[in-house]
């Protein structure tokens, strides 16, 4: 069983939870930019082991399923069709053998996840099937998917409640995306960074409150933020140390850079803030041209929000699993 | 050894231990010793050494105190205890010899670097192979070693026009540092030679030839030996 990529879309790659634990070797985590959306896509097809999904960026791919497949789409609001039939998001859907799934543009957000029941069965590297486009690790040396790629799909039991047939068959229920997708462009919680107090007096109030714009020059490594140049009181020469996703760096240009899933493991730019982990998926969903603003937050608040989200996500995933079994 | 370490909570799951602010062999040795001790005593942590700091990544939910205490504080206490304890500290550093074919097509910048240093090519090679280096950290790309110990006279500026593609195995000098490109990568360092060894292979165990803390020496080899060794390397 496999799926063929007919058109690759703008930037499509396999992503899972990533490769934690290897930063000391110079290997970053990579993984899904919007973790909850990726987890929920897997949950909706009944995958329980953190299978890889296709992360689509801005414009999705077109794919042909050799045999019948059960899929789910989550994350950004992406156009999805089989023939003329629209495919609903945030639910699960059985596609008959030979279906061509055409994913198009996104009306909100920039990253959508396509999970397939059984998962994409490519060889894991260092415990993950994620493509690290920067370090060139993963499927086909970590490159983006191309037309002609054929991805094997793992074998599974059929899903009860979705009978075999020649028609596209969605479930009669789905999940509400609103808790998991920020449609409103809320301010992102920003924890203090090591060098934030060194911003000059004009830059201090801009960091919390001014509106920045996501630059065209953004990718899985970082979102570059345009709109206001920030300055330190005096230039700071730092030696390289470990960096993290979520770190807001300030290079000499004054244009802040928010590191994302493919953050390099070391870097030497001043750190003016750390975006709360719970808000990183929301940043990852902002498109070039979208607004970003920050509000000051604390480690305690960020930890509490993260723990609360993990509990909610865990409960929802369990509820989905129970409902799929009894569908 | 824990008394003069700075602790900084970088993120929900990250605590930085800072030993100093300089690129310095003695500071880095303290980082490596602390990393070895913590890997032994607190194996659930991910330790990421850099020149003068050590990043710890952890699961905050497993470090929340019974009293709801803040995980970074709990972890900091555990780290202080682990670093304050006596007893054995990790094994002596591994020694690695890295064969290098200097100059020619393998080191296209060798003559320029020698001229910038005011040395002949042979003298430059002699100095580059004479030093003992220490892997301060891996970063930039999987398996890329930042090496301490470059002879100060061999420090040369980076290239004004970085290369789009530096071949895998290239041995290079950038500023006061020397390093080895594990894969074909863009890069601005001056290329003086190339090693036939494969520095990083994600499917191997361990994936990286070098680790932070290793001692490294370069050994000059000729092109025939390069080809012979390259043929023996897994690809």
């Amino acid at each position: 069983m496999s799926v063929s990529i007919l058109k690759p879309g703008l930037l499509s790659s396999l992503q899972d939870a990533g490769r934690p634990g290897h930063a000391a070797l110079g290997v970053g985590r990579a993984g899904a930019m919007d973790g909850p959306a990726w987890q929920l896509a897997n949950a909706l097809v009944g995958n329980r082991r953190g299978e890889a999904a296709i992360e689509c960026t801005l414009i999705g791919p077109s794919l042909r399923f050799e045999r019948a497949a059960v899929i789910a789409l989550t994350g950004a609001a992406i156009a999805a069709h089989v023939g003329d039939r629209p495919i609903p998001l945030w639910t699960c859907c059985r596609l008959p053998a030979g279906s061509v799934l055409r994913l198009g543009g996104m009306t909100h957000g920039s990253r959508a996840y396509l999970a397939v029941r059984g998962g994409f069965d490519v060889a894991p590297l260092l415990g993950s099937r994620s493509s690290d486009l920067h370090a060139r690790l993963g499927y086909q040396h970590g490159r983006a998917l191309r037309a002609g790629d054929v991805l094997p799909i793992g074998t599974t039991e059929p899903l009860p409640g979705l009978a075999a047939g020649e028609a596209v068959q969605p479930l009669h229920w789905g999940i509400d995306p609103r808790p998991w997708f920020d449609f409103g462009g809320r301010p992102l919680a920003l924890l203090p960074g090591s060098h934030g107090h060194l911003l000059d007096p004009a830059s201090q109030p801009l960091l919390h409150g001014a509106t920045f714009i996501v630059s065209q020059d953004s990718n899985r490594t970082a979102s570059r933020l345009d709109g206001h140049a920030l300055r330190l009181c005096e230039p700071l020469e730092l030696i390289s140390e470990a960096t993290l996703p979520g770190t807001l760096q300030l290079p000499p240009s004054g244009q802040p850079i928010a590191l994302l899933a493919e953050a390099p493991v070391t870097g030497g730019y001043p750190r003016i803030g750390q975006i709360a982990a719970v808000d990183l998926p929301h940043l990852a969903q902002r498109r070039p041209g979208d607004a970003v603003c920050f509000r000051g937050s604390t480690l305690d608040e960020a930890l509490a929000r993260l723990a609360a989200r993990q509990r909610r996500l865990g409960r929802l995933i369990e509820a989905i699993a129970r409902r799929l079994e009894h569908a | 050894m824990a008394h003069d370490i700075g602790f900084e909570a970088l993120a929900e799951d990250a605590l930085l231990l800072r030993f100093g602010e300089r690129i310095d062999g003695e500071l880095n040795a303290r980082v490596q010793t602390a990393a070895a001790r913590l890997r032994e005593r607190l194996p659930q942590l991910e330790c990421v050494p850099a020149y003068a700091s050590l990043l710890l990544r952890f699961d905050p939910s497993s470090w929340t105190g019974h009293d709801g205490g803040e995980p970074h504080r709990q972890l900091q206490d555990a780290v202080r205890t682990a670093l304050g304890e006596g007893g054995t500290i990790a094994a002596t550093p591994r020694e690695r010899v890295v064969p290098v074919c200097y100059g020619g097509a393998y080191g296209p910048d060798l003559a320029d670097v020698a001229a910038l240093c005011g040395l002949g090519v042979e003298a430059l090679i002699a100095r580059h192979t004479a030093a003992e280096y220490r892997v301060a950290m891996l970063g930039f790309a999987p398996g890329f070693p930042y090496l301490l110990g470059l002879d100060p006279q061999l420090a040369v500026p980076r290239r004004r026009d970085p290369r789009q593609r530096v071949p895998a195995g290239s041995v290079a000098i950038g500023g006061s540092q020397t390093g080895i490109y594990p894969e074909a990568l863009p890069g601005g360092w001056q290329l003086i030679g190339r090693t036939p060894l494969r520095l990083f292979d994600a499917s191997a165990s361990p994936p990286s030839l070098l680790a932070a803390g290793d001692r490294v020496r370069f050994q000059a080899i000729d092109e025939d030996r390069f080809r012979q060794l390259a043929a023996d390397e897994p690809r």
Side-chain angles (χ1 to χ4, degrees), chain B residues 10 38 199 230:
Chain B
L10 287 195
L38 293 176
L199 264 75

Side-chain angles (χ1 to χ4, degrees), chain A residues 60-134:
Chain A
S62 293
L63 323 92
R64 183 172 46 231
F65 291 87
E66 178 204 353
R67 303 226 194 116
V70 172
I71 63 142
L73 286 159
T74 62
I78 189 169
H81 293 87
V82 171
D84 292 334
R85 174 159 187 168
I87 303 298
L89 312 181
W90 300 91
T91 183
C92 141
C93 192
R94 184 182 183 278
L95 307 181
S99 292
V100 172
L101 174 64
R102 287 180 298 114
L103 301 177
M106 302 173 184
T107 51
H108 297 283
S110 62
R111 290 178 169 98
Y113 293 86
L114 169 65
V116 178
R117 185 167 168 82
F120 295 100
D121 193 16
V122 306
L125 266 185
L126 299 173
S128 166
R129 294 183 170 84
S130 283
S131 290
D132 187 326
L133 305 168
H134 186 74

Side-chain angles (χ1 to χ4, degrees), chain A residues 19-29 125-126 134-137 191-195 238-245 264-266 271 274-278 299-300 302-303 306, chain B residues 8-14 16 18 21-23 39 46-53 55 57 60 70-72 137-143 146 184-186 200 202-203 207-208 210:
Chain A
R19 267 178 208 95
H22 304 289
L25 303 181
V27 178
R29 294 194 173 199
L125 266 185
L126 299 173
H134 186 74
R136 301 180 205 177
L137 295 176
L191 308 176
S194 318
H195 311 107
L238 298 168
I239 61 173
S240 286
E241 56 190 28
T243 52
L244 299 166
V265 297
T266 54
R271 294 187 296 259
Q274 176 72 28
I275 297 159
V278 71
L299 195 53
D300 281 346
L303 281 162
L306 183 62
Chain B
E8 190 185 336
L10 287 195
E12 293 90 333
D13 66 346
L16 189 76
R18 183 170 284 116
E21 309 271 352
R22 285 171 298 119
I23 297 181
R39 282 179 180 135
E46 179 181 4
C47 296
V48 192
Y51 284 120
S53 62
L55 181 74
R57 295 196 74 180
E70 201 260 300
H72 296 72
M137 61 178 184
L138 302 181
F140 172 59
Y146 287 87
L185 291 162
F200 188 85
S203 57
S208 177
L210 301 174

Side-chain angles (χ1 to χ4, degrees), chain B:
Chain B
M1 82 188 264
H3 60 281
D4 55 348
I5 301 173
F7 289 86
E8 190 185 336
L10 287 195
E12 293 90 333
D13 66 346
L15 181 69
L16 189 76
L17 279 55
R18 183 170 284 116
F19 295 75
E21 309 271 352
R22 285 171 298 119
I23 297 181
D24 172 287
E26 189 271 332
L27 272 179
N28 186 255
R30 289 182 57 207
V31 173
Q32 308 304 348
T33 303
R37 173 71 67 86
L38 293 176
R39 282 179 180 135
E40 184 186 294
R41 302 289 161 87
L42 300 169
Q44 68 273 44
L45 302 178
E46 179 181 4
C47 296
V48 192
Y51 284 120
S53 62
L54 178 62
L55 181 74
L56 305 180
R57 295 196 74 180
F58 57 98
D59 173 6
S61 66
S62 63
W63 286 92
T64 304
H66 297 299
D67 52 357
E70 201 260 300
H72 296 72
R73 172 61 58 183
Q74 309 271 340
L75 176 58
Q76 186 173 320
D77 291 345
V79 166
R80 279 188 188 284
T81 304
L83 296 185
E85 283 166 3
T88 55
I89 304 179
T92 44
R94 297 187 304 178
E95 313 246 345
R96 295 283 189 195
V97 174
V98 175
V100 179
C101 183
Y102 286 91
Y106 295 137
D109 301 330
L110 181 69
D112 290 350
V113 171
L116 282 167
C117 300
L119 291 171
V121 161
E122 291 307 318
L124 185 144
I125 294 172
R127 282 174 181 251
H128 198 254
T129 51
E132 186 182 76
Y133 301 91
R134 181 108 176 196
V135 180
M137 61 178 184
L138 302 181
F140 172 59
F144 184 100
Y146 287 87
L147 298 172
L148 292 170
L150 182 69
D151 184 328
Q153 205 186 331
L154 304 191
V156 288
R158 290 159 204 222
R159 286 170 57 85
R160 226 171 295 160
D161 48 335
R163 289 184 171 87
Q164 286 302 308
R165 189 176 179 282
V166 171
S170 292
V171 175
I173 296 177
S176 60
Q177 304 181 85
T178 187
I180 313 168
Y181 287 82
E183 296 286 339
L185 291 162
W189 290 17
Q190 310 267 10
L191 310 185
I192 60 171
R194 200 182 303 171
T195 178
L197 299 186
R198 188 166 181 189
L199 264 75
F200 188 85
D201 176 358
S203 57
S205 180
S208 177
L209 177 72
L210 301 174
D214 287 355
R215 292 181 195 284
V216 173
R217 276 181 185 281
F218 293 113
Q219 179 189 50
I221 56 168
D222 62 17
E223 281 194 47
D224 285 345
R225 183 73 182 138
F226 181 97
R227 279 191 286 268
Q228 214 174 2
L229 290 170
D232 292 343
E233 282 291 287
R235 294 286 158 183

